[in-house]
Amino acid sequence: MSAFRSCREALFFCASQPLSLDSMPESISFKAVFPFIANSVQYALGAIRAPCASVWAKQEVRGTMEQKEDEPRTPLLTGPDSAPREQPSPERRRTLRNQLWAAWIFMQVVMNLGWIFSRLDHFRHPSWEHVFGDFANLCAFNGVVFFVIMLLLGSRNPTVQRAFGLDRMLLLHRRLGVYTLGCFIGHAIFRTWSISLRRGVSYDFSILYSMDLAEWDLVLGRLALLIMIGGTVLALLGQKYLVLQYHVWKRPHFLLYPALFMGLVHAYAHGNDMPHTPFREAGVVLGIIAAADLARRAHYRLKRGRGHVWFVSERVQETSDTATFTLQHPEASAEFARRLPGQFAVIRAPYVPHLNEPHPFTFSGEPLGDKHHADDRLRFTVKVSGDFTATFVKMPLGAPILVEGPYGVFLSDIGRWDRVGLIAGGVGITPFLSLVRAFAQRGDCPPTTLVWSNRTLADTFALEELVGYTRELPLSLVFAFTREQPEGLPAESPSTRFVYGRLGPGLLQELFSGKEGFYLCGPEPFQQAVAYALRHDLKAPAENIQREHFFW
């Protein structure tokens, strides 16, 4: 086992980067209509081409690793002409989001209208056999669409991520997983009921679990349902109840792709609807989308290598339970060169016990511009809140860290507001630190009020730095302390205030008019209380309030 681990570690650090396919023409028409299909197909083609380029890639890696220290660094993971991939504008993101919603709704409408028009005769002459059988098929048609969307949301599909953000994707993935499983359990129960009535019995439970290979098409459906139930139970035990380690529940999750394909084969071979229009065409499209996304995931896992490995270069203890880490890359990383304030990365230490599970951390440094935040350095501020963070803050200098991202769209549209309100609780300050540092780097920002709530003064950090920015920017600061009235604070000024107590409606009405663009980050109860006060006491429109979801 130790020899295998050593080989795996060596491969991890020396893995080559396959050829980029970002040069695929943007003018392809279907890419504008179904962008997630285009993106998945693009990666699928890359997975096919990668083996043909393996020899060239390994030679390139060796050449790069032998590059001299004084030679200019060349970006990794680049697109056409070695240019970093641009982050989509808010307008483009909204357009992409609307396209994805339209594609989802269109597929649901096709399935449901097809179900209605194919059952007009059953509506005229109903029977219990038809009622149960038709309802079972309705569950299956909606379930298969939910299934594919659920897979796309859980796979960190880059196109979907750029539209919605990874936090919302994974939250919807979990909810949709429950709905999907409910649809297929309903399908199994009511289809069994319909078949039982056809056979002249009230309910034949053996239809649910029989593995008679003479009915291979039914066996495929049963196995697919068992895989779904097992995957859902393991995910609940691992994520919600925390009784399973990450790899125990995560790896079986990949069996959901075979479960989908098994279910589609079951539907075409056994069902009386899927062989006909429009179900036949819809099933083919959904199968292609899922297969392309699976190929994209496999391609990403194969190419993930040294371009994603960073090293701890600096650690600063901000408070008793909060530390700021600087990670450095041996070369410039174009993948992070266009990161935005408020975005986050998913990081792990693959070869350290208890740290091989991915966790999201928000960048606390400005995107680019000074010696601490060039494209070969990243900065994260981490608060101890569990076993993972308690071990992570003790990582020694030089430790390798696998970093994936950047993800998130939390602050992507902040430029559309004339006035901005940033409200943070505890370590929820990190995306706003990144934003304010980016403002200072640029030398300009919209009039902004930053409210930071903490229990005590000992829980704060970068206080002097933030106060200094008020002399350069139209920035107002309000520090709220809920457990003490601290002493030794900097002198108050028109742009800096210190208050004692929780953020109630009175203070918020004093600070804001309700017409600002509000961004909230912090513990979930804190965000809920502040959002409620903004909506009901300041009458702030719901679309003016953006929240960072703690989703992991």
Side-chain angles (χ1 to χ4, degrees):
M1 180 62 69
S2 60
F4 169 76
R5 183 171 299 173
S6 299
C7 293
R8 187 179 67 169
E9 185 171 357
L11 290 172
F12 180 82
F13 283 104
C14 302
S16 61
Q17 303 296 320
L19 293 172
S20 170
L21 294 183
D22 287 337
S23 57
M24 179 180 287
E26 292 287 339
S27 60
I28 298 178
S29 59
F30 75 87
K31 191 166 186 177
V33 180
F34 296 111
F36 61 91
I37 301 177
N39 186 278
S40 298
V41 171
Q42 182 183 42
Y43 278 93
L45 293 175
I48 296 173
R49 288 182 53 184
C52 302
S54 61
V55 175
W56 170 83
K58 291 176 182 177
Q59 292 175 347
E60 182 191 44
V61 170
R62 284 196 296 268
T64 305
M65 296 299 288
E66 293 171 359
Q67 190 178 39
K68 294 182 179 180
E69 289 285 338
D70 56 352
E71 291 182 358
R73 294 191 300 266
T74 56
L76 296 176
L77 309 174
T78 57
D81 301 324
S82 298
R85 177 180 292 180
E86 294 286 348
Q87 294 282 355
S89 65
E91 293 76 16
R92 171 58 182 159
R93 185 174 291 110
R94 283 192 290 271
T95 300
L96 183 58
R97 187 184 303 129
N98 292 336
Q99 290 172 343
L100 293 173
W101 277 119
W104 183 358
I105 294 171
F106 174 76
M107 194 62 70
Q108 299 282 172
V109 168
V110 166
M111 287 295 199
N112 286 276
L113 287 181
W115 178 85
I116 292 173
F117 285 107
S118 65
R119 274 149 180 83
L120 295 178
D121 187 56
H122 292 179
F123 296 153
R124 298 189 190 99
H125 308 286
S127 68
W128 285 115
E129 176 187 339
H130 288 156
V131 169
F132 294 142
D134 293 343
F135 185 73
N137 285 4
L138 180 64
C139 290
F141 294 148
N142 286 280
V144 72
V145 179
F146 289 161
F147 203 159
V148 174
I149 300 300
M150 180 192 68
L151 292 176
L152 291 174
L153 293 172
S155 68
R156 303 188 206 169
N157 186 286
T159 299
V160 183
Q161 193 280 137
R162 285 194 292 272
F164 295 98
L166 185 60
D167 52 351
R168 289 170 175 82
M169 285 174 61
L170 294 186
L171 288 172
L172 182 57
H173 165 78
R174 294 168 187 169
R175 295 173 185 172
L176 200 58
V178 176
Y179 301 150
T180 304
L181 181 59
C183 283
F184 286 113
I185 289 178
H187 169 74
I189 291 174
F190 286 100
R191 174 54 63 185
T192 298
W193 208 336
S194 176
I195 295 175
S196 299
L197 292 176
R198 188 189 315 158
R199 294 178 179 179
V201 297
S202 59
Y203 203 90
D204 185 358
F205 285 94
S206 66
I207 298 175
L208 291 171
Y209 58 81
S210 174
M211 292 296 171
D212 185 0
L213 295 182
E215 298 177 324
W216 64 270
D217 48 352
L218 288 174
V219 171
L220 281 179
R222 294 166 188 143
L223 289 175
L225 181 59
L226 288 176
I227 292 174
M228 286 195 62
I229 294 174
T232 303
V233 170
L234 290 176
L236 287 173
L237 292 175
Q239 284 192 307
K240 186 174 182 178
Y241 299 106
L242 305 177
V243 298
L244 294 179
Q245 293 185 352
Y246 175 79
H247 67 275
V248 173
W249 68 263
K250 182 62 176 179
R251 289 174 182 172
H253 245 51
F254 290 101
L255 293 177
L256 292 176
Y257 285 96
L260 173 67
F261 301 135
M262 291 162 61
L264 287 174
V265 172
H266 157 78
Y268 280 105
H270 179 75
N272 51 6
D273 288 314
M274 287 300 285
H276 305 291
T277 301
F279 309 108
R280 176 180 60 232
E281 292 78 9
V284 170
V285 170
L286 292 171
I288 291 175
I289 293 172
D293 191 61
L294 177 60
R296 179 197 62 79
R297 293 188 74 171
H299 174 229
Y300 172 77
R301 293 293 296 271
L302 290 172
K303 76 163 187 160
R304 188 177 69 189
R306 66 186 181 88
H308 294 83
V309 179
W310 297 67
F311 299 89
V312 178
S313 62
E314 184 181 357
R315 183 177 66 247
V316 177
Q317 196 70 33
E318 305 284 7
T319 70
S320 60
D321 60 356
T322 303
T324 294
F325 286 83
T326 299
L327 305 183
Q328 186 171 1
H329 199 282
E331 302 172 359
S333 176
E335 190 162 343
F336 290 93
R338 298 302 180 191
R339 64 189 184 275
L340 300 174
Q343 288 192 305
F344 61 90
V346 175
I347 67 177
R348 68 183 103 175
Y351 308 111
V352 178
H354 310 300
L355 294 183
N356 58 351
E357 301 181 9
H359 283 69
F361 291 98
T362 302
F363 301 110
S364 57
E366 62 267 38
L368 293 174
D370 66 22
K371 63 181 180 179
H372 295 296
H373 308 288
D375 54 357
D376 65 343
R377 293 174 186 266
L378 303 174
R379 184 158 66 164
F380 301 92
T381 299
V382 180
K383 179 182 177 66
V384 175
S385 58
D387 293 340
F388 182 92
T389 49
T391 306
F392 186 80
V393 296
K394 301 175 183 177
M395 290 290 288
L397 299 182
I401 305 293
L402 176 64
V403 184
E404 300 172 274
Y407 300 115
V409 296
F410 177 44
L411 300 175
S412 61
D413 63 345
I414 201 165
R416 68 189 179 102
W417 303 107
D418 295 328
R419 301 185 66 86
V420 175
L422 310 175
I423 305 178
V427 78
I429 191 65
T430 50
F432 303 143
L433 271 178
S434 177
L435 178 67
V436 172
R437 286 165 173 164
F439 284 159
Q441 181 187 72
R442 192 175 63 184
D444 186 29
C445 72
T448 301
T449 299
L450 170 59
V451 183
W452 187 10
S453 177
N454 283 286
R455 294 180 178 180
T456 67
L457 178 62
D459 296 319
T460 64
F461 53 92
L463 192 148
E464 294 289 348
E465 177 188 357
L466 288 172
V467 172
Y469 291 141
T470 63
R471 295 187 285 270
E472 308 170 9
L473 300 168
L475 172 67
S476 298
L477 301 175
V478 177
F479 298 95
F481 301 98
T482 61
R483 299 288 179 86
E484 70 173 10
Q485 290 181 310
E487 299 178 353
L489 294 171
E492 288 197 1
S493 68
S495 57
T496 303
R497 290 181 55 187
F498 301 94
V499 299
Y500 173 72
R502 298 186 181 276
L503 300 182
L507 178 61
L508 293 175
Q509 288 176 330
E510 181 182 347
L511 297 173
F512 304 109
S513 66
K515 299 179 181 179
E516 296 87 350
F518 293 99
Y519 295 85
L520 317 182
C521 188
E524 190 66 21
F526 170 85
Q527 292 195 47
Q528 291 177 354
V530 173
Y532 181 87
L534 292 175
R535 290 194 304 268
H536 292 83
D537 296 293
L538 277 72
K539 307 302 180 184
E543 59 269 18
N544 285 32
I545 304 173
Q546 305 294 328
R547 296 173 54 186
E548 178 77 303
H549 297 283
F550 284 23
F551 61 96
W552 212 263

